[in-house]
Amino acid sequence: MSLSRSPSPHPGGGWSSPGLTPGSGASTPGGHSQATLAPNGISWAAAKAKSDEVRKYPSFSTRNSGFFSRQKRKISARLPSFRGQASRQGYVDKDVYGRGQLHAGGPGGCGPLATLKMGETWKTNEGYVTAIVQLYRRSPLGGGPKFVIILGSNVEGGVMEWKGAREWAIERNSIWNKQQYVKRWGYQLEIANMLAQKRYSHEWRESWEKGDVIREVMRKYPHAEWFWWLDLNTWIMEYGTSLQSHLFNDLDSHVYRDINEYNPLNMTHPLPEFFLDDLGRALEGDGNPDSLSLLLSQDCSGFNLGSFFLRRSIWTERLIDAWWDPVMYEQMHMQWEHKEQDALEYIYQSQAWVRSGVGFLPQRKINAFPPGACGDGNDPAVHYQEEDHDFVVNMAGCNFGRDCWAEIYNYRAISSKHNRSKWEWISDRLGSAREWAFGKKD
Amino acid sequence: MQFALPPRRSLHTLPGANSSRLPLYRRKQLKTIAIFAFAVLTLLYLLSRLFSSSSTSLSPPAGTAGMVIVTLLDRQSLSESYINKIVTNREDYAKRHGYTNFFASVSDYEEAIGDAPRSWALIPAMRHAMATYPKSKYFFHLSPHALVMNPTTSLKSHLLDRSRLESLMLKNVPIVPPDSIIKTFALKQKDVDLILTQDGEDLSPSSFILKNGDFARFFLDLWFEPLFRSYRFAKAETHGLDHIMQWHPTVLARTALVPQRILNAYSKDSSGASQDGSYKDGDFVIRFPSCDEGKARDCDELDPYYSMWSKKAKST
């Protein structure tokens, strides 16, 4: 079948991404197959409808009501569709893992039906316990409501308000990943719509939305204390690790406040001005972890705001207020390529009051990079180490010459392996034992 | 078989059943213990409050002034005799009320200011005063072209008392005159960290009171931002202050605006005063804005007022 217009970046039509091509749910990044009209084929309209469901997540309403937003239905109605027998829902979501059916006797199954029944009973009981535990974690007593994850997303679309299949897949997967994590620990998730960026007009500050979004979220969750910003191209690898155990129960031991420990921008610290007070010239601030309100990591080129924490405090209000200023913006917006990130680096350098509230975390603590970001090697200070079960991976800069979907797909698989339940682990072991004993089933 | 009424409780206590009532003497004993325990706990609580408040409050310990008067002197452009007059005026006032003077020199901050106008030096001077007297609660910046004309008036009774400040505060007025769309808040005294006045055109940084603490550090660092200094505001730090107040609500939310004559009355010959902003006899401070602009090393306009102040100071 030849298409007059391809609905995806792949010239031959069809889904050009691993995990999006029908029948390629388990494929690895790299190869891709042509779209075929299999019985389980994916219809374009159904896929589009499924993608539109993303809009049901809580988000900040877009300021953009451009031509494409208004004409979307008319345009998509004219697009070619893949004819084929649709699934019950009209769409087979191959790109989200963990939704496959467990077939008795299948390669991942464990053979005898009795074992399966026993496993199901175990899973049911485990489900009750999990529900009670999650209920406790969601309560103020469990500490869950103290944490909000803010996911910087782009619900509507990309350039000209249109996104390719890969972008939709990345977004859905990333949102799903954060939902799984917050569900487990009773945290809150806020999906912030980062669409409204009038990139080339100066009456709107160019993608300087982090501060505004965080302020809004703080207003929306008045009882939350810590707000964790995550970019869309991040993946929480370890669902079993809570923020409390990972960081906040013993914040002091994880944080360094003296930027000289790792100082890629070669900032002068402490500030040398004689007229500053002791706090303004202190290497380690006041030494009290309770005064920390911003936790972030540095990569090879300076501050990285792909994953950072802000505490609700007067200090934070002031930081968000000072972060964007028209006089500063007017003079520097051409030099500040990374916008808020560069502005934050700048005010950290120039305004002494900022330093006392900032704590730095080793990069792999909250922001491990894949190879290709900050060098192609495997730097143990920077790059994700599977054997150490690093907490978060940030596919930083993957849209500049790397393949975001392939990277997310890869880390999703690793994460899936790390986060198997006891039952899945036993099931996998039995499956591999069966394969070893009887050979692999074709 | 059912009975219309419940059976009567037996008058005889069953063997082994204890009486629910405690003997009278035991109850009295427990009551005494409870009252004693309550008294001890109350005493401990009061003592802990007393000690914790003394250690955490901003009020200065013995031997430290609660108010520091900051005067920035440009020794290159002012004559020695003029500087002596200003210093004498400040020292007399500080001595009367137990305040401390901090005399800063513009030349000390030249490196920090860089190419910006020298008037920006007032900000690092304030920061320096706060670093020198970290336990003092208030810092009063007063222009070198101003005199304290009413030496018997303490800043506490004149301005800082709760009822006094709340009654003087200008509420819901344009922060930058005459018609800024950003207006002042109605604040409680405990929420005020910065007390300012306006003249006819701008906010006036020549005379203001700043409360020591995190806000003061934040405000001064933001105001002294290098990009503000390099922006070439027409009136340097004055327009920098106007800008901050209009764009940064976290600063405005801690700022009280008071009538000009309370803290910053202009001499009669000055053109830039606000309505009812010119000096009248009995006002706390007089300022000579024309001396800021003039190149003369002696501000002649000050002399008659200095003589008036000298007489008043000697007679009280």
Side-chain angles (χ1 to χ4, degrees):
Chain A
M1 167 194 153
S2 67
L3 298 173
S4 59
R5 175 176 165 187
S6 167
S8 76
H10 180 53
W15 306 100
S16 64
S17 308
L20 289 175
T21 310
S24 73
S27 72
T28 52
H32 54 254
S33 62
Q34 296 286 73
T36 51
L37 296 173
N40 271 355
I42 299 167
S43 83
W44 171 251
K48 192 76 187 69
K50 176 70 181 174
S51 300
D52 285 343
E53 280 178 26
V54 171
R55 276 179 226 152
K56 293 192 181 98
Y57 297 118
S59 69
F60 292 89
S61 60
T62 172
R63 299 170 190 77
N64 202 336
S65 53
F67 170 78
F68 275 94
S69 296
R70 293 194 299 273
Q71 305 295 327
K72 200 177 284 171
R73 191 168 291 156
K74 293 179 194 171
I75 291 166
S76 60
R78 292 188 207 121
L79 285 171
S81 63
F82 299 107
R83 284 182 179 79
Q85 191 188 336
S87 66
R88 269 190 307 249
Q89 289 85 13
Y91 177 66
V92 182
D93 205 355
K94 296 276 186 185
D95 58 316
V96 177
Y97 73 90
R99 296 195 185 176
Q101 303 270 317
L102 181 66
H103 301 291
C110 54
L113 204 64
T115 319
L116 189 69
K117 288 281 183 203
M118 181 186 75
E120 278 173 4
T121 313
W122 180 14
K123 280 173 90 174
T124 308
N125 293 338
E126 205 176 17
Y128 289 135
V129 174
T130 306
I132 292 162
V133 168
Q134 284 179 358
L135 201 67
Y136 165 74
R137 284 172 181 166
R138 271 198 296 273
S139 72
L141 209 64
K146 279 173 68 176
F147 298 91
V148 176
I149 296 177
I150 306 171
L151 182 63
S153 177
N154 181 345
V155 182
E156 287 281 323
V159 179
M160 297 284 284
E161 305 172 42
W162 205 260
K163 276 198 298 203
R166 285 167 173 253
E167 286 77 26
W168 289 110
I170 287 164
E171 180 169 89
R172 270 202 311 280
N173 275 264
S174 185
I175 290 170
W176 180 87
N177 167 249
K178 312 309 180 281
Q179 283 173 331
Q180 294 304 303
Y181 185 70
V182 298
K183 184 180 166 191
R184 181 160 191 167
W185 292 104
Y187 305 147
Q188 319 268 9
L189 175 64
E190 186 68 22
I191 297 159
N193 186 3
M194 303 298 284
L195 168 72
Q197 300 169 4
K198 284 192 188 174
R199 284 192 181 280
Y200 305 109
S201 58
H202 285 179
E203 76 269 17
W204 175 252
R205 37 210 225 203
E206 304 174 14
S207 92
W208 286 66
E209 291 170 297
K210 281 192 173 85
D212 294 339
V213 165
I214 292 163
R215 192 188 277 124
E216 283 295 318
V217 175
M218 283 182 168
R219 214 169 281 153
K220 187 172 175 181
Y221 298 96
H223 302 299
E225 184 186 356
W226 282 99
F227 297 82
W228 182 16
W229 178 280
L230 283 171
D231 280 351
L232 195 63
N233 289 331
T234 54
W235 195 269
I236 298 173
M237 298 296 287
E238 301 296 324
Y239 299 142
T241 305
S242 72
L243 291 174
Q244 292 95 314
S245 65
H246 187 59
L247 279 179
F248 293 102
N249 289 347
D250 187 17
L251 192 54
D252 208 18
S253 67
H254 302 301
V255 168
Y256 64 95
R257 294 169 91 147
D258 177 3
I259 198 172
N260 295 314
E261 282 192 32
Y262 178 58
N263 196 351
L265 295 173
N266 202 22
M267 292 185 190
T268 303
H269 182 77
L271 286 164
E273 277 81 3
F274 71 93
F275 53 79
L276 294 173
D277 55 12
D278 292 342
L279 185 62
R281 286 184 289 148
L283 266 174
E284 296 273 352
D286 63 0
N288 179 5
D290 292 340
S291 68
L292 289 168
S293 288
L294 170 63
L295 305 176
L296 75 160
S297 62
Q298 296 184 89
D299 60 31
C300 52
S301 58
F303 290 10
N304 187 293
L305 295 186
S307 167
F308 67 94
F309 291 88
L310 269 174
R311 178 188 240 144
R312 182 193 300 282
S313 66
I314 294 169
W315 185 95
T316 302
E317 278 177 39
R318 288 170 184 158
L319 178 78
I320 292 170
D321 190 20
W323 203 336
W324 189 84
D325 179 281
V327 166
M328 292 161 72
Y329 176 77
E330 187 182 321
Q331 293 175 82
M332 300 298 286
H333 72 272
M334 298 302 281
Q335 286 152 265
W336 286 344
E337 265 180 64
H338 300 105
K339 303 180 175 70
E340 287 131 319
Q341 205 162 276
D342 291 342
L344 184 65
E345 286 169 354
Y346 176 81
I347 62 172
Y348 180 89
Q349 276 178 287
S350 70
Q351 297 179 29
W353 73 275
V354 175
R355 300 190 182 203
S356 61
V358 178
F360 297 99
L361 292 159
Q363 189 177 343
R364 279 175 48 212
K365 199 83 186 158
I366 58 162
N367 206 11
F369 276 5
C374 277
D376 292 325
N378 190 16
D379 182 348
V382 172
H383 296 121
Y384 175 77
Q385 306 293 312
E386 187 181 346
E387 64 279 8
D388 293 338
H389 287 249
D390 286 343
F391 183 46
V392 175
V393 182
N394 178 5
M395 274 58 78
C398 64
N399 37 359
F400 298 102
R402 302 195 335 258
D403 185 345
C404 292
W405 169 248
E407 287 184 11
I408 280 205
Y409 188 85
N410 174 40
Y411 287 107
R412 187 184 78 173
I414 295 167
S415 167
S416 177
K417 190 174 82 180
H418 285 189
N419 292 295
R420 287 173 300 181
S421 66
K422 290 186 192 108
W423 169 243
E424 285 168 333
W425 186 84
I426 290 166
S427 170
D428 285 352
R429 282 300 166 103
L430 288 168
S432 53
R434 188 176 173 280
E435 276 174 25
W436 176 79
F438 303 111
K440 198 167 187 176
K441 240 186 181 181
D442 290 326
Chain B
M1 179 182 176
Q2 286 185 324
F3 296 98
L5 293 168
R8 277 190 191 169
R9 192 176 284 169
S10 169
L11 292 173
H12 309 289
T13 51
L14 293 167
N18 293 327
S19 167
S20 63
R21 291 191 174 192
L22 285 165
L24 194 63
Y25 76 92
R26 170 70 75 195
R27 270 193 294 158
K28 277 185 177 173
Q29 219 173 17
L30 284 172
K31 204 173 182 181
T32 312
I33 291 165
I35 290 165
F36 181 72
F38 179 73
V40 168
L41 286 169
T42 308
L43 190 69
L44 285 169
Y45 173 74
L46 289 170
L47 284 168
S48 72
R49 290 285 293 181
L50 191 72
F51 287 116
S52 68
S53 67
S54 66
S55 63
T56 58
S57 83
L58 265 174
S59 50
T64 311
M67 175 73 69
V68 176
I69 303 167
V70 181
T71 310
L72 179 67
L73 302 166
D74 190 346
R75 295 179 191 276
Q76 284 179 23
S77 64
L78 299 172
S79 71
E80 205 57 46
S81 65
Y82 181 84
I83 288 171
N84 287 338
K85 286 174 187 171
I86 297 300
V87 169
T88 307
N89 175 261
R90 301 291 191 272
E91 283 179 342
D92 171 79
Y93 181 66
K95 196 193 260 180
R96 285 169 188 265
H97 301 285
Y99 300 158
T100 297
N101 271 302
F102 182 83
F103 295 105
S105 184
V106 171
S107 57
D108 293 345
Y109 311 106
E110 275 173 345
E111 198 182 326
I113 297 162
D115 298 332
R118 291 165 70 82
S119 57
W120 280 100
L122 84 87
I123 303 161
M126 285 294 283
R127 206 64 160 94
H128 194 184
M130 286 168 59
T132 310
Y133 300 102
K135 294 284 194 288
S136 292
K137 191 171 183 179
Y138 291 103
F139 291 81
F140 174 30
H141 171 258
L142 190 54
S143 162
H145 300 303
L147 285 173
V148 176
M149 290 300 288
N150 195 343
T152 55
T153 304
S154 81
L155 278 163
K156 186 166 168 45
S157 62
H158 180 59
L159 185 57
L160 297 174
D161 272 339
R162 188 175 67 85
S163 54
R164 174 76 171 154
L165 180 58
E166 286 176 14
S167 66
L168 285 172
M169 225 182 280
L170 301 174
K171 301 170 184 78
N172 202 34
V173 300
I175 188 69
V176 177
D179 51 12
S180 163
I181 58 163
I182 307 297
K183 298 197 165 48
T184 56
F185 298 126
L187 300 175
K188 293 269 177 274
Q189 183 249 14
K190 64 180 171 61
D191 298 323
V192 174
D193 282 313
L194 174 63
I195 302 169
L196 274 173
T197 63
Q198 300 169 326
D199 59 22
E201 296 159 11
D202 298 287
L203 289 164
S204 178
S206 56
S207 175
F208 65 89
I209 294 173
L210 184 60
K211 191 178 186 178
N212 194 359
D214 290 337
F215 172 84
R217 284 188 280 273
F218 157 66
F219 165 65
L220 293 171
D221 288 350
L222 181 62
W223 191 8
F224 199 57
E225 166 55 52
L227 290 174
F228 291 172
R229 283 180 275 141
S230 64
Y231 192 65
R232 307 283 182 215
F233 284 116
K235 290 190 185 174
E237 78 291 345
T238 301
H239 281 174
L241 183 62
D242 288 351
H243 167 79
I244 285 170
M245 287 297 166
Q246 293 184 93
W247 281 95
H248 296 287
T250 55
V251 178
L252 183 61
R254 312 291 300 183
T255 302
L257 213 57
V258 295
Q260 188 178 350
R261 278 177 50 212
I262 295 294
L263 213 54
N264 196 22
Y266 280 10
S267 62
K268 291 185 177 68
D269 304 333
S270 306
S271 57
S274 63
Q275 200 174 1
D276 195 35
S278 294
Y279 178 78
K280 290 184 175 62
D281 196 34
D283 283 347
F284 176 52
V285 162
I286 186 167
R287 182 171 165 245
F288 310 98
S290 55
C291 296
D292 283 329
E293 292 139 29
K295 293 280 177 273
R297 288 171 61 76
D298 287 291
C299 182
D300 299 332
E301 201 186 344
L302 174 132
D303 289 340
Y305 290 99
Y306 184 76
S307 304
M308 275 166 60
W309 167 77
S310 295
K311 285 174 192 161
K312 199 181 277 187
K314 279 173 188 151
S315 65
T316 52

